[in-house]
Amino acid sequence: MQQLYYLINELIKSYHVFCKFDKVKADAILKRINEYRLQLVILAEQRQIFIEQLNVPINASGYKNDLFFTHDDIDSLVIRGIARLDDAVTVSLVQQGTRENLFTRQSVAWQHLFSDVQFLPDNGQQIPFDFPQEIYLEKSQTLDIGITNQTTIGFVFVHGANLKDDLAPNQQALLDEINLIEFDGTPNLPKPQLVPIQFQFANAVLDDPAIAVDGGDQIYSIKSERSVLLTEVSITDPSMRITLIDKGRNQEICNEVEALGVAGLEDNQFTVYYPLPYPHLLRKQDRIQFRALNGSTITGDLTDEDVLQTLCFRGFTI
Amino acid sequence: MIDIKNTKFISSEDRRTCLQRALYTQPYFYKIEIVIPIQDYAAGEFQGFAQAVGIDDDFYLTEIQANFGEAHEDIHSFFNINIYTGYNKSLYRYDASHKLPSGFITTEARFRTVVTNEVFDDRQRENSPFLIRKNDKIYFEASNAQALAQGDLPYTLTVVLKGFRLLEDVFIDNRQVDQLNASLARPTEWQLFAINMDVDGKKSYILENDNQPRLILGFSAINAVTDKTQVSSIDTTIIEVARRLRLTDNQIPLQFIAPRLTCLLDAHIYYLPVEYYFQPYSKLQFDATIVNPDLNNPTGAEVSILTRTI
């Protein structure tokens, strides 16, 4: 899907150019752009993204721990994992169902499967990477992540999406928005867009809830008159556990998950933005609700009180 | 980025499209500077208001680079910024009334000695083209997010807006049409052109094309020394002589055009917003001002351009 987005960008450039001297070709390019956009948006509509946190308990012996990941009553896709584990930990990955699918023939160093969180010391790659192929889990199946040699508390963040049973989104509504004409008579083309959510903490105390800039307890992104395809997310301080809910869809993206497993750091040298599991369509006039509790279990750090913090999604209008 | 199209797998149809696109466009870079005066160091607070750059032709913005990571190393503060156009249209915000931390919007111009030295992500990051119309202005504001470290000199925050403009009057003669068709009939070949920029003070450097029509895809740079304290500062304009086109509105630090000190890391090249058509026998002229930290030991950089035949 990322490749598709880059291709759309290149086509938009070509479209602007051909508008000047070859209107027929420009129209043909616009048609391709709109086809790809619709394809991207439908792919996004069919997926309900999630980020889940699996905790590895303290185990002084380092014996194997099995983390089981499954979603009840819905099929899902798992695209990547981000972990915080000891350097020498090995992992196995098995899809359990009527037929077992072994992704690891034997236990392998966890750095082969997962990227590391953006916190020093770095035990693995700090730029997230995807599995070679996404893992499709049917309702009845479970993903077994076996972890050996982890003696302290560890974390694995699973990025993926649930597949809605009703796979056909309202194509006409999407097409209507894609085919909009701007007020100056030009066609509506994708534009870059940031969706920031600003908040702060009243106290630098563990489990203190985040409050809005005006001091209220409800924190939302701002509404927009255009739908935005969110592709990436970043945050100014990761020392908190966050909950994200798309209120329009009433869809929970993550629930009290360590920010280090969800968002890149705004001032990080390796990568500022973490990709979302899949692009998420924030429909026009919808908002994302944000909740957070102060303090990170991974780092043991707290976010400062009375300092404005920002979580920011990046994407483009459809 | 244009590397997604200009691979070894490029189709003949895409080659033709790239050529047509290149004939009617030019990459263009605007520079915005905000100076932090010395008295603001003492006050510990800086508010840079609405520095504007005028747009003299329709400009499609695709990328914003800045030196905020370098500024953080030097004066120990992060910055919050806002970028908007004269029509009060926000480029990257739902809500233009608040500034955002700079890392959400800009990437760092690569200029570093070791990996851990810079704060911000300095890989190239391109967005969908955003049209800023002729006669509009781009406004840029910045304020410090932490207390400023005491400085002895005013500090300059630099932001470069990268994008492309459309050309109104394009003329190619029959000979060039033959050359282009001949090139399209052959497989593509890539070639690097390189030049050493190393003389202290002002000087023009010329890169000359041969008899092949080419497309310029991107720039890269290698410094003569790896110690950043010894690395010269290079500000340059880029002018293409045959078509008399300027690619920059002003002298721009080299690290915004090509990633400097790049042997260390992944991206060794900055791709242009669009392919640039480089005529046979044309010249690319760099009017550079080089300042060496040590006059007794002048250093410079080797700048290379990646090209391919049509």
Side-chain angles (χ1 to χ4, degrees):
Chain A
M1 286 167 88
Q2 193 71 14
Q3 290 291 313
L4 204 54
Y5 165 57
Y6 288 130
L7 191 59
I8 290 174
N9 267 359
E10 286 305 308
L11 285 171
I12 293 172
K13 289 179 194 171
S14 299
Y15 170 76
H16 288 306
V17 179
F18 283 102
C19 270
K20 283 279 176 189
F21 71 99
D22 188 346
K23 201 76 180 75
V24 176
K25 185 149 188 178
D27 287 344
I29 291 174
L30 181 62
K31 208 173 155 197
R32 271 180 75 193
I33 292 171
N34 287 347
E35 278 169 14
Y36 289 151
R37 282 159 82 187
L38 185 64
Q39 202 177 325
L40 254 181
V41 176
I42 288 176
L43 285 171
E45 277 280 65
Q46 289 170 339
R47 291 162 166 78
Q48 296 173 321
I49 60 166
F50 62 77
I51 297 161
E52 288 202 11
Q53 176 178 329
L54 305 175
N55 291 358
V56 188
I58 295 172
N59 180 351
S61 61
Y63 288 153
K64 188 177 175 191
N65 251 308
D66 280 297
L67 306 176
F68 296 103
F69 172 81
T70 188
H71 275 177
D72 298 323
D73 295 332
I74 196 157
D75 295 348
S76 53
L77 294 168
V78 176
I79 189 168
R80 76 176 75 91
I82 298 173
R84 186 60 182 179
L85 297 169
D86 293 344
D87 196 15
V89 165
T90 59
V91 295
S92 61
L93 192 64
V94 181
Q95 184 176 1
Q96 295 176 333
T98 46
R99 178 182 166 275
E100 263 196 349
N101 193 351
L102 300 176
F103 295 109
T104 50
R105 189 159 285 214
Q106 57 271 327
S107 287
V108 296
W110 68 270
Q111 292 90 340
H112 291 306
L113 276 176
F114 307 131
S115 55
D116 195 4
V117 297
Q118 292 178 327
F119 182 65
L120 295 173
D122 49 334
N123 293 336
Q125 178 176 324
Q126 297 206 340
I127 298 174
F129 57 88
D130 296 348
F131 291 139
Q133 197 178 332
E134 58 200 10
I135 299 170
Y136 176 58
L137 286 175
E138 289 182 27
K139 295 179 182 71
S140 58
Q141 293 180 327
T142 300
L143 197 62
D144 174 2
I145 306 169
I147 293 178
T148 311
N149 289 337
Q150 177 73 22
T151 53
T152 58
I153 186 168
F155 301 87
V156 177
F157 302 95
V158 180
H159 286 215
N162 291 327
L163 296 172
K164 288 192 279 190
D165 285 335
D166 170 20
L167 282 178
N170 185 348
Q171 278 205 31
Q172 193 52 49
L174 298 170
L175 265 176
D176 287 347
E177 191 166 355
I178 285 172
N179 291 327
L180 272 178
I181 300 295
E182 301 278 7
F183 64 90
D184 59 359
T186 56
N188 164 34
L189 288 169
K191 295 177 190 65
Q193 189 73 70
L194 295 183
V195 183
I197 300 174
Q198 294 187 312
F199 59 96
Q200 59 191 350
F201 289 99
N203 306 292
V205 175
L206 190 68
D207 292 339
D208 186 54
I211 55 173
V213 180
D214 62 5
D217 58 354
Q218 298 289 316
I219 308 167
Y220 285 98
S221 62
I222 295 167
K223 283 184 180 179
S224 166
E225 61 190 11
R226 289 285 165 86
S227 300
V228 183
L229 204 59
L230 307 177
T231 54
E232 290 151 307
V233 62
S234 179
I235 195 166
T236 45
D237 190 330
S239 305
M240 65 189 81
R241 288 145 291 147
I242 61 178
T243 301
L244 293 169
I245 299 166
D246 184 326
K247 288 302 275 186
R249 300 164 184 277
N250 201 18
Q251 177 198 335
E252 186 181 270
I253 297 170
C254 61
N255 186 13
E256 285 190 27
V257 173
E258 291 276 346
L260 275 169
V262 179
L265 299 188
E266 180 268 330
D267 58 358
N268 194 283
Q269 68 218 3
F270 297 107
T271 181
V272 165
Y273 284 99
Y274 269 5
L276 290 171
Y278 293 93
H280 176 80
L281 185 68
L282 181 63
R283 291 185 294 216
K284 57 182 175 183
Q285 297 170 14
D286 281 0
R287 298 179 298 170
I288 288 191
Q289 187 182 14
F290 175 86
R291 291 200 293 264
L293 296 173
N294 203 342
S296 165
T297 326
I298 296 178
T299 64
D301 294 337
L302 294 164
T303 304
D304 292 342
E305 62 190 39
D306 298 332
V307 175
L308 190 67
Q309 304 292 346
T310 308
L311 176 114
C312 186
F313 291 95
R314 195 158 76 106
F316 52 94
T317 56
I318 70 164
Chain B
M1 287 191 298
I2 60 171
D3 60 328
I4 195 169
K5 281 199 143 182
N6 292 286
T7 66
K8 60 184 175 182
F9 303 112
I10 190 166
S11 67
S12 51
E13 171 66 22
D14 278 344
R15 284 172 66 184
R16 201 167 276 279
T17 308
C18 282
L19 169 63
Q20 286 173 325
R21 190 164 86 166
L23 285 172
Y24 285 85
T25 54
Q26 64 159 131
Y28 202 76
F29 303 153
Y30 282 104
K31 184 176 74 169
I32 301 174
E33 284 186 336
I34 286 195
V35 178
I36 305 174
I38 296 172
Q39 61 266 29
D40 283 359
Y41 289 114
E45 186 150 336
F46 163 71
Q47 291 277 349
F49 288 110
Q51 302 289 310
V53 57
I55 303 296
D56 48 7
D57 210 342
D58 281 2
F59 177 62
Y60 295 86
L61 176 72
T62 57
E63 190 185 351
I64 305 179
Q65 279 188 308
N67 69 340
F68 294 115
E70 203 184 352
H72 181 263
E73 279 190 349
D74 294 340
I75 54 176
H76 302 171
S77 178
F78 290 116
F79 288 86
N80 296 326
I81 61 169
N82 197 6
I83 297 179
Y84 53 95
T85 67
Y87 295 120
N88 204 15
K89 195 171 178 184
S90 170
L91 297 184
Y92 284 92
R93 291 291 317 272
Y94 269 152
D95 171 17
S97 59
H98 294 101
K99 296 190 189 80
L100 274 186
S102 61
F104 291 134
I105 299 172
T106 63
T107 48
E108 183 74 3
R110 179 165 291 180
F111 190 50
R112 59 183 175 183
T113 44
V114 290
V115 179
T116 50
N117 264 22
E118 293 288 340
V119 179
F120 291 125
D121 187 358
D122 58 4
R123 292 170 302 160
Q124 197 171 11
R125 191 166 79 199
E126 199 175 78
N127 291 302
S128 315
F130 184 94
L131 170 61
I132 301 159
R133 292 192 187 281
K134 185 176 179 177
N135 296 331
D136 199 351
K137 283 187 173 178
I138 299 174
Y139 293 88
F140 174 77
E141 298 171 346
S143 57
N144 59 319
Q146 274 96 24
L148 296 163
Q150 185 70 46
D152 301 328
L153 292 168
Y155 195 85
T156 304
L157 300 171
T158 306
V159 178
V160 171
L161 309 166
K162 296 183 170 183
F164 61 93
R165 308 202 300 192
L166 304 183
L167 300 174
E168 294 292 338
D169 305 310
V170 176
F171 173 76
I172 49 172
D173 57 25
N174 288 339
R175 192 164 139 254
Q176 276 193 67
V177 172
D178 291 344
Q179 285 171 325
L180 292 172
N181 282 331
S183 187
L184 279 167
R186 291 193 299 269
T188 56
E189 290 169 13
W190 57 270
Q191 198 167 80
L192 287 174
F193 290 65
I195 192 168
N196 273 318
M197 299 166 78
D198 52 5
V199 177
D200 204 72
K202 287 185 179 175
K203 192 187 168 189
S204 292
Y205 301 84
I206 303 281
L207 265 173
E208 189 168 358
N209 194 8
D210 57 11
N211 63 345
Q212 296 286 332
R214 296 177 192 278
L215 297 177
I216 300 176
L217 303 180
F219 291 86
S220 77
I222 298 293
N223 292 302
V225 290
T226 52
D227 177 359
K228 196 165 153 185
T229 59
Q230 295 296 315
V231 171
S232 53
S233 81
I234 303 177
D235 293 334
T236 184
T237 59
I238 306 177
I239 301 165
E240 200 252 323
V241 176
R243 294 202 284 165
R244 300 254 165 227
L245 291 175
R246 296 172 64 90
L247 274 59
T248 57
D249 75 322
N250 214 324
Q251 276 198 332
I252 287 178
L254 181 63
Q255 58 268 30
F256 289 87
I257 296 165
R260 297 188 72 176
L261 296 161
T262 53
C263 291
L264 298 164
L265 271 169
D266 49 356
H268 63 287
I269 190 167
Y270 283 162
Y271 286 94
L272 289 171
V274 286
E275 303 85 357
Y276 186 79
Y277 173 51
F278 200 20
Q279 284 186 13
Y281 303 115
S282 179
K283 298 181 184 74
L284 212 56
Q285 181 177 322
F286 299 84
D287 291 332
T289 304
I290 298 182
V291 179
N292 282 302
D294 179 2
L295 280 177
N296 295 322
N297 181 25
T299 61
E302 182 182 282
V303 180
S304 79
I305 59 172
L306 173 65
T307 70
R308 74 163 171 85
T309 54
I310 310 296

